[in-house]
């Protein structure tokens, strides 16, 4: 035996010694949680791995939601897909249409003999991810809903009551004027996610249909109808308020510039996801933050409906070895445990997605210690969702959101009136829907 | 005329010698290019379950789409601005560097630095400086009475990506110009000086014609850079916004393919880009290499 072969075989022996006698089945979980939420997610996987020895969940960070979804699709086409992938809510239409690729969660749990009761989940969350017969297709994991954050110190300086946030859009306008006139801040309010918050949620809160076919839940042939008086009026107002300096645009997509405007106390109010809570608290060291539900037009609706959700769910992909699915089902059971859910909710600011996790957080006194942390969940569950507030489901919706951003920028830039901009979103959006319909 | 042809006695050896390069070309260029070409005739759902052969429909739709025509226009404006700015600034800097070169190498080193910066990082740097809320340049512009907001003003956004892309490319151009200037024989300039030509006259009549091959080479390279290599800058600063006003062709390929999952259209767009690159390369070899005097 020559020297090289000797070292090689010695190396192989030591390698094989380090592997335990019975290896656990590894299950890939691709996700898009960076930063602190990503670290927390890895802890959750570790918790599951420590709770049993047959399966090992391997979380893999794949970048943004877009990148994770595109990566998983590319992997599926190359037959290298993970068993679990986290997909954001606007990708739901794409995933649902891919029936050959998706193993629906209700089916998985039934096949693997794991307990499954979808009534445990909070209605607006689970409704978003059900098929037309009411079966849940993906496991809700991190859901959020938009809320309003406001700067209590600025309110006080402007002579407003820091404990009374604006309730209606008329309040938002009046408060913003007072704040700017008093010099307490340079801008009244800003908003992340014009598409999600100032368009989709706006229509849901006011019980207006977003499209035909039950907001897209009823089939791929839905057509957008949100070019109604409400959206046109609201977009027109935002433009007017921008020109007056009451409102400042935070940028397209998620609005990267909105958070710094709030943190630097330039804008007194700020609308963003409830999951931004940890970030807001960390960055707002110099002032006190208040939390409030989204404003509404009280001449359109007396009592606003529930807001709709964002965030992501876990989809199971087909084509993995059978024993992995057993582990996936067990992992999903673990994820639904009230302690696991409550811990994730309290850490991240995402909603507690089961009633039990919400109750547990209440019992633990979390909301008393953290006032405002339940604004999102209260807003989401304040009424039974109607067909208009259940959520939305469309194919190619990522592009449609891009179109919303385009036209909103054209409106703010003075190129189009509110009516022209909203009509154009609907017309261009419908082309995307027809494209998707013909490709699927 | 003497040829540089080398005759290999062995018939197989030359093929073996170029095999690694050929392999790389096949794997990293020919194969993906062929796939893109094939995909540009298909219409598929994202997961690839349903595939229809649609002939030229993807191309027809592109050329009927006003947004695609707009993207062409943006790309032209962007590429021409970046090329003109980055070459003229680099040439000015290189000419200035020639004067101090013997005393200070720090100057040229500093000028070369931006080239080492990744496009995405360059984009983020400029995004920060011009950020309407927290950016220092936006703040200074405001104090001068100029309102800057590239989030809603398309012209501001275009200026921003032109500045960012130009800044990154100046170093590269600077290096080439500096090398070219150094190779211009001093005796020619001295002769011109004796004949009474001033520095400006000497530059335009003696130096500039002598560095024209470099200039032409850089013009082509800069156009290629601006059209194809600035994806990171656009992605990090404006993401093609506002209202698609800074969406250049490469960005649209990414957006439609990777975000929109419309693979057929994205493939058709990359085929069109491929044709543009081939055309530019052909221009460089056919016209520039021949007509410019060395």
């Amino acid at each position: 035996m020559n020297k090289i072969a000797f070292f090689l075989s010695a190396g192989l022996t030591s390698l094989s010694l380090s592997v335990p006698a019975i290896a656990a089945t590894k299950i890939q979980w691709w996700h898009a949680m960076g930063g602190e939420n990503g670290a927390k997610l890895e802890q959750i996987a570790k918790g599951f791995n420590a709770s049993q020895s047959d399966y090992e969940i391997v979380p893999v960070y794949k970048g943004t939601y877009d990148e994770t979804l595109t990566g998983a699709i590319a992997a599926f086409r190359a037959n290298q897909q993970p068993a679990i992938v986290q997909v954001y809510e606007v990708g739901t239409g794409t995933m649902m249409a891919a029936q050959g690729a998706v193993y629906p969660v209700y089916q998985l749990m039934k096949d693997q003999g794991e307990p499954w009761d979808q009534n445990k989940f909070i209605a607006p969350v689970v409704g978003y991810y059900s098929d037309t017969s009411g079966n849940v297709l993906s496991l809700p994991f991190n859901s959020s809903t938009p809320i309003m954050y406001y700067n209590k110190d600025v309110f006080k300086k402007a002579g407003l009551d820091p404990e009374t946030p604006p309730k209606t859009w008329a309040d938002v306008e009046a408060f913003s004027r007072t704040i700017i006139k008093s010099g307490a801040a340079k801008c009244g309010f800003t908003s992340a996610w014009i598409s999600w918050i100032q368009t989709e949620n706006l229509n849901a809160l006011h019980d207006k249909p977003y499209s035909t076919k039950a907001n897209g839940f009823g089939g791929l042939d839905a057509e957008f109808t949100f070019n109604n008086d409400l959206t046109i009026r609201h977009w027109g107002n935002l433009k007017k308020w921008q020109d007056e300096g009451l409102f400042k645009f935070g940028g397209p997509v998620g609005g990267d510039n909105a958070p710094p405007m709030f943190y630097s106390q330039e804008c007194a109010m700020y609308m963003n996801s409830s999951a931004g809570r940890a970030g807001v608290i960390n960055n707002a060291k110099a002032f006190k933050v208040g939390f409030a539900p989204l404003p509404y037009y009280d001449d359109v609706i007396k009592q606003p409906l529930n807001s709709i959700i964002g965030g992501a769910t876990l989809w199971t992909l087909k084509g993995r070895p059978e024993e992995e699915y057993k582990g996936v089902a067990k992992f999903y059971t673990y994820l639904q445990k009230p302690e696991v859910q409550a811990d994730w909710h309290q850490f991240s600011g995402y909603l507690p997605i089961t009633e039990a996790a919400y109750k547990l957080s209440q019992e633990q006194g979390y909301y008393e210690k953290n006032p405002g942390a339940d604004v999102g969940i209260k807003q989401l569950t304040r009424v039974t969702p109607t067909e208009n507030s259940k959520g939305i489901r469309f194919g190619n919706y990522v592009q449609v959101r891009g179109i919303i951003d385009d036209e909103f920028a054209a409106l703010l830039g003075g190129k189009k009136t509110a009516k022209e901009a909203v009509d154009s979103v609907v017309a261009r959006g419908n082309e995307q829907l027809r494209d998707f319909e013909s490709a699927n | 005329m003497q040829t540089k042809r080398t005759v290999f006695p062995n018939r197989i050896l030359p093929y073996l010698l170029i095999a690694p390069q050929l392999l790389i070309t096949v794997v990293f260029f020919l194969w993906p290019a062929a796939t893109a070409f094939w995909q540009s005739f298909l219409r598929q759902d994202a997961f690839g379950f349903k595939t229809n052969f649609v002939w030229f429909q993807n191309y027809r739709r592109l050329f009927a789409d006003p947004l695609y025509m707009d993207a062409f226009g943006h790309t032209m404006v962007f590429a021409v601005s970046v090329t003109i700015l980055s070459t003229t600034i680099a040439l000015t800097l290189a000419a200035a560097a020639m004067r101090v070169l013997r005393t200070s190498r720090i100057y040229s080193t500093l000028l070369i630095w931006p080239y080492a910066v990744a496009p995405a990082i360059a984009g983020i740097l400029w995004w920060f400086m011009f950020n309407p809320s927290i950016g220092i340049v936006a703040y200074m512009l405001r104090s001068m009475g100029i309102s800057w907001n590239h989030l809603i003003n398309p012209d501001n956004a275009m200026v921003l990506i032109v500045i960012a892309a130009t800044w990154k490319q100046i170093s590269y151009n600077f290096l080439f110009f500096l090398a070219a200037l150094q190779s211009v024989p001093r005796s020619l300039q001295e002769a011109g000086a004796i004949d009474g030509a001033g520095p400006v006259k000497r530059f335009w009549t003696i130096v500039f014609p002598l560095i024209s091959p470099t200039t032409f080479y850089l013009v082509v390279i800069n156009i290629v850079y601006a059209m194809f290599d600035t994806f990171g800058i656009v992605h990090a600063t404006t993401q093609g916004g506002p209202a698609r006003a800074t969406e250049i062709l490469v960005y649209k390929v990414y957006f439609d393919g990777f975000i929109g999952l419309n693979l057929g259209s994205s493939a058709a767009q990359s085929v069109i880009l491929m044709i543009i690159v081939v055309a530019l390369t052909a221009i460089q070899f056919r016209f520039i290499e021949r007509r410019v005097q060395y």
Side-chain angles (χ1 to χ4, degrees):
Chain A
M1 189 193 274
N2 66 30
K3 261 187 185 167
I4 295 169
F6 173 77
F7 280 120
L8 261 179
S9 65
L12 284 175
T13 323
S14 66
L15 259 180
S16 60
L17 282 177
S18 65
V19 175
I22 308 158
T25 305
K26 286 196 166 107
I27 298 163
Q28 295 265 318
W29 176 19
W30 288 11
H31 67 87
M33 301 270 95
E36 291 164 356
N37 286 351
K40 188 72 190 173
L41 181 150
E42 295 202 349
Q43 262 182 37
I44 292 175
K46 258 189 208 138
F48 171 75
N49 294 340
S51 73
Q52 45 76 54
S53 56
D54 295 338
Y55 305 101
E56 189 190 341
I57 294 286
V58 186
V60 182
Y61 175 61
K62 280 285 171 179
T64 63
Y65 281 133
D66 300 334
E67 286 159 1
T68 308
L69 177 59
T70 322
I73 290 173
F76 187 85
R77 294 176 74 132
N79 226 349
Q80 300 284 324
Q81 70 272 32
I84 310 172
V85 60
Q86 184 189 23
V87 176
Y88 58 167
E89 88 282 12
V90 290
T92 306
T94 304
M95 296 302 287
M96 282 196 63
Q99 276 160 7
V102 165
Y103 196 167
V105 64
Y106 77 95
Q107 192 72 47
L108 169 86
M109 300 305 261
K110 205 169 85 188
D111 291 352
Q112 303 300 339
E114 285 291 316
W116 176 250
D117 174 16
Q118 60 189 53
N119 296 324
K120 287 197 315 195
F121 294 100
I122 283 163
V125 174
V126 82
Y128 206 106
Y129 301 103
S130 312
D131 63 12
T132 34
S133 20
N135 292 312
V136 182
L137 301 178
S138 58
L139 185 80
F141 174 63
N142 57 318
S143 294
S144 58
T145 201
I147 60 169
M148 181 163 61
Y149 300 90
Y150 67 98
N151 185 328
K152 288 187 173 178
D153 292 10
V154 167
F155 269 49
K156 203 182 275 170
K157 248 185 258 167
L160 296 164
D161 177 9
E163 299 312 321
T164 314
K167 268 175 74 178
T168 64
W169 278 107
D171 292 346
V172 172
E173 185 179 359
F175 285 27
S176 298
R177 281 225 175 83
T178 314
I179 286 162
I180 292 172
K181 212 176 269 171
S182 67
K186 274 190 283 182
C187 129
F189 70 102
T190 181
S191 173
W193 294 107
I194 295 300
S195 48
W196 185 42
I197 303 176
Q198 310 300 348
T199 314
E200 296 153 28
N201 268 285
L202 173 85
N203 280 280
L205 286 176
H206 295 86
D207 203 12
K208 299 281 182 213
Y210 202 70
S211 79
T212 59
K213 295 273 166 179
N215 284 2
F217 281 80
L220 292 180
D221 53 342
E223 282 193 27
F224 290 124
T225 57
F226 61 87
N227 49 345
N228 49 31
D229 293 347
L230 174 72
T231 315
I232 293 168
R233 168 184 174 188
H234 186 56
W235 278 36
N237 279 341
L238 289 171
K239 161 75 175 154
K240 191 183 81 188
W241 293 332
Q242 171 198 252
D243 294 347
E244 262 185 80
L246 307 182
F247 162 66
K248 272 206 170 163
F249 180 47
V253 196
D256 288 341
N257 288 328
M261 283 192 252
F262 184 67
Y263 301 155
S264 65
Q265 309 205 49
E266 185 182 353
C267 294
M269 292 168 271
Y270 157 62
M271 288 159 222
N272 201 353
S273 163
S274 60
R277 182 187 161 81
V280 169
I281 289 171
N282 276 336
N283 280 287
K285 293 257 151 63
F287 60 94
K288 280 203 188 69
V289 186
F291 306 85
L294 290 179
Y296 60 98
Y297 290 98
D298 57 353
D299 56 337
V300 176
I301 194 163
K302 281 276 153 282
Q303 274 304 314
L305 300 186
N306 61 294
S307 53
I308 58 177
I309 60 164
T313 52
L314 304 184
W315 290 81
T316 320
L317 294 178
K318 283 188 178 160
R320 301 297 308 173
E322 189 53 35
E323 71 261 27
E324 288 192 14
Y325 291 114
K326 185 98 202 147
V328 172
K330 285 203 184 305
F331 177 54
Y332 285 177
T333 303
Y334 179 83
L335 278 184
Q336 291 174 55
K337 283 189 173 179
E339 313 86 72
V340 177
Q341 265 309 316
D343 178 40
W344 169 248
H345 153 60
Q346 294 173 15
F347 178 86
S348 64
Y350 282 108
L351 301 165
I353 50 166
T354 60
E355 295 284 356
Y358 184 31
K359 278 218 184 77
L360 182 65
S361 300
Q362 285 170 327
E363 280 161 21
Q364 289 169 341
Y366 173 69
Y367 303 116
E368 279 144 41
K369 272 178 262 161
N370 300 279
D374 54 353
V375 162
I377 181 85
K378 278 188 175 152
Q379 174 180 266
L380 196 70
T381 53
R382 64 189 170 194
V383 292
T384 313
T386 69
E387 201 167 72
N388 297 329
S389 70
K390 197 177 155 195
I392 52 167
R393 162 117 22 96
F394 303 105
N396 278 353
Y397 199 64
V398 185
Q399 291 97 308
V400 177
R401 279 202 167 162
I403 293 171
I404 292 177
D405 287 327
D406 287 357
E407 299 293 343
F408 192 72
L411 165 77
L412 294 186
K415 286 230 175 90
K416 285 185 180 171
T417 66
K419 181 162 172 38
E420 285 164 359
V422 177
D423 283 345
S424 171
V425 174
V426 167
R428 287 174 61 194
N430 279 330
E431 278 172 30
Q432 291 290 337
L433 295 186
R434 294 297 74 77
D435 264 12
F436 189 77
E437 194 186 356
S438 69
N440 279 282
Chain B
M1 193 175 153
Q2 190 196 357
T3 60
K4 283 187 177 174
R5 213 181 154 96
T6 312
V7 180
F8 286 84
N10 189 323
R11 278 176 160 255
I12 305 164
L13 183 66
Y15 294 102
L16 268 178
L17 288 177
I18 57 163
Q21 178 62 47
L22 276 181
L23 193 74
I24 287 170
T25 312
V26 169
V27 171
F28 291 102
F29 178 69
L30 291 179
W31 185 15
T35 314
F37 190 69
W38 172 239
Q39 273 200 332
S40 70
F41 294 105
L42 304 179
R43 160 159 283 211
Q44 282 188 319
D45 70 302
F47 282 85
F49 287 117
K50 285 184 201 147
T51 304
N52 299 321
F53 188 81
V54 293
W55 286 106
F56 289 94
Q57 201 195 342
N58 287 322
Y59 292 95
R60 269 205 304 273
R61 288 174 62 125
L62 272 181
F63 287 104
D65 181 3
L67 283 175
Y68 192 63
M69 293 295 122
D70 286 354
F72 252 108
H74 304 146
T75 312
M76 289 289 290
V77 171
F78 177 68
V80 170
S81 318
V82 169
T83 305
I84 292 176
L85 279 175
S86 61
T87 43
T88 49
I89 295 174
L91 182 56
T92 316
L93 289 173
M98 279 298 284
R99 295 180 156 265
V100 292
L101 199 62
R102 281 160 208 88
T103 52
S104 163
R105 287 200 175 265
I106 298 168
Y107 180 74
S108 50
T109 310
L110 283 176
L111 276 168
I112 294 158
W113 267 2
Y115 196 65
V117 176
I121 294 171
I124 289 288
L125 276 175
W126 292 97
W127 179 85
F128 261 115
M129 286 192 281
F130 280 94
N131 186 300
S133 305
I134 53 174
I136 182 145
V137 179
Y139 176 80
M140 291 191 299
L141 285 172
R142 252 200 313 278
S143 63
M144 286 189 289
I146 305 163
S147 89
W148 175 274
N149 193 344
H150 64 262
L151 295 177
I152 52 174
N153 185 325
D155 299 336
N156 286 177
M158 183 55 88
V159 170
L160 176 62
I161 60 169
V162 167
I163 292 175
T166 303
W167 174 76
K168 232 194 94 45
Q169 191 64 6
I170 285 174
S171 319
Y172 180 88
N173 295 348
F174 169 78
L175 269 186
F176 275 79
F177 275 130
L178 192 64
L181 289 175
Q182 281 175 322
S183 68
V184 173
R186 288 188 64 76
S187 56
L188 287 178
Q189 296 202 57
E190 280 159 5
I194 291 165
D195 289 344
V200 177
K201 181 94 178 159
R202 285 206 303 272
F203 181 82
W204 288 112
T205 52
I206 300 170
V207 179
F208 191 71
L210 283 171
I211 62 165
S212 63
T214 309
T215 312
F216 277 111
Y217 164 79
L218 285 177
V219 166
V220 174
I221 288 293
N222 279 282
I223 292 174
V224 172
Y225 158 80
M227 287 184 73
F228 304 101
D229 214 10
T230 45
F231 166 81
I233 286 171
V234 177
H235 193 47
T237 46
T238 63
Q239 296 176 341
R244 311 281 104 207
T246 54
E247 188 170 68
I248 58 171
L249 293 168
V250 269
Y251 196 77
K252 197 166 162 60
V253 170
Y254 158 80
F255 192 81
D256 290 355
F258 285 80
I259 306 294
L261 298 171
N262 188 346
L263 299 176
S265 174
S266 183
Q269 292 177 37
S270 32
V271 170
I272 294 169
L273 283 178
M274 205 147 61
I275 293 169
I276 297 176
V277 179
V278 170
L280 280 173
T281 317
I283 289 171
Q284 189 187 345
F285 278 101
R286 290 245 147 198
F287 300 100
I288 295 173
E289 299 263 311
R290 277 190 193 167
R291 300 224 172 138
V292 173
Q293 52 162 355
Y294 285 93

